């Protein structure tokens, strides 16, 4: 497949659920890794007769800000707003669904969160 297959992701009490934007394909997973693997399997089942396949690299997961922050409560909004140079009240209004961020604001938030994730993944503790 030349284009990524987009799946909208929702946070649940047991992990994640997702559904394809253009096809009647849906699945769940306890974490994002399992969710992507289940998506690949579900796509394979849906397109079994035609032989069409998709890899995890061809899957695009999309989640809205309010759900992301509801599920990841450990992220401190005030600290994140300081780190990415965004007004705390504005970021909070995006997270609460009061206002919809522009594409540039969404990208700024995403890059800030991804940078924090990358930094955390590179940490090791002395013991």
């Amino acid at each position: 497949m030349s284009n990524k297959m987009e799946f909208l992701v929702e946070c649940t009490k047991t992990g994640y659920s997702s559904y394809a934007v253009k096809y009647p394909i849906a699945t769940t997973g306890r974490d994002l890794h399992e969710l992507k693997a289940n998506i690949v399997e579900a796509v394979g089942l849906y397109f079994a007769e035609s032989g069409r396949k998709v890899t995890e690299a061809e899957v695009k997961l999309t989640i809205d800000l309010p759900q992301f922050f509801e599920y990841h409560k450990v992220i401190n909004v005030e600290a994140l707003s300081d780190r990415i140079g965004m007004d705390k009240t504005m970021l909070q209004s995006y997270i609460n669904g009061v206002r919809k961020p522009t594409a540039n604001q969404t990208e700024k938030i995403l890059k800030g969160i991804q940078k924090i994730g990358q930094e955390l993944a590179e940490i090791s503790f002395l013991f």
Side-chain angles (χ1 to χ4, degrees):
M1 287 174 49
S2 58
N3 294 329
K4 288 193 175 197
M5 184 176 279
E6 184 176 11
F7 281 77
L8 299 181
V9 177
E10 296 176 351
C11 299
T12 67
K13 291 181 181 180
T14 58
Y16 298 93
S17 65
S18 67
Y19 57 94
V21 172
K22 295 184 179 180
Y23 302 96
I25 303 171
T27 191
T28 62
R30 289 181 300 247
D31 55 43
L32 291 175
H33 178 74
E34 182 178 286
L35 180 66
K36 275 193 165 185
N38 290 347
I39 288 171
V40 169
E41 181 181 5
V43 169
L45 291 170
Y46 182 77
F47 290 112
E49 287 185 26
S50 70
R52 184 175 179 185
K53 299 202 186 264
V54 67
T55 65
E56 285 189 22
E58 296 169 302
V59 171
K60 177 184 176 187
L61 301 180
T62 303
I63 189 168
D64 68 4
L65 282 174
Q67 279 203 46
F68 175 83
F69 281 96
E70 175 64 27
Y71 191 77
H72 298 283
K73 293 180 186 207
V74 68
I75 297 175
N76 180 294
V77 176
E78 187 169 344
L80 177 63
S81 66
D82 286 344
R83 183 149 185 177
I84 64 175
M86 183 178 288
D87 180 74
K88 176 188 169 213
T89 305
M90 181 180 292
L91 180 58
Q92 193 67 52
S93 70
Y94 297 152
I95 292 168
N96 292 335
V98 174
R99 295 180 65 194
K100 185 171 173 69
T102 64
N104 286 343
Q105 293 289 64
T106 301
E107 187 67 22
K108 186 176 188 177
I109 295 164
L110 178 61
K111 285 186 181 201
I113 291 168
Q114 288 173 336
K115 180 143 177 64
I116 292 168
Q118 182 181 17
E119 291 171 5
L120 291 172
E122 294 173 1
I123 288 176
S124 59
F125 292 117
L126 296 173
F127 54 95

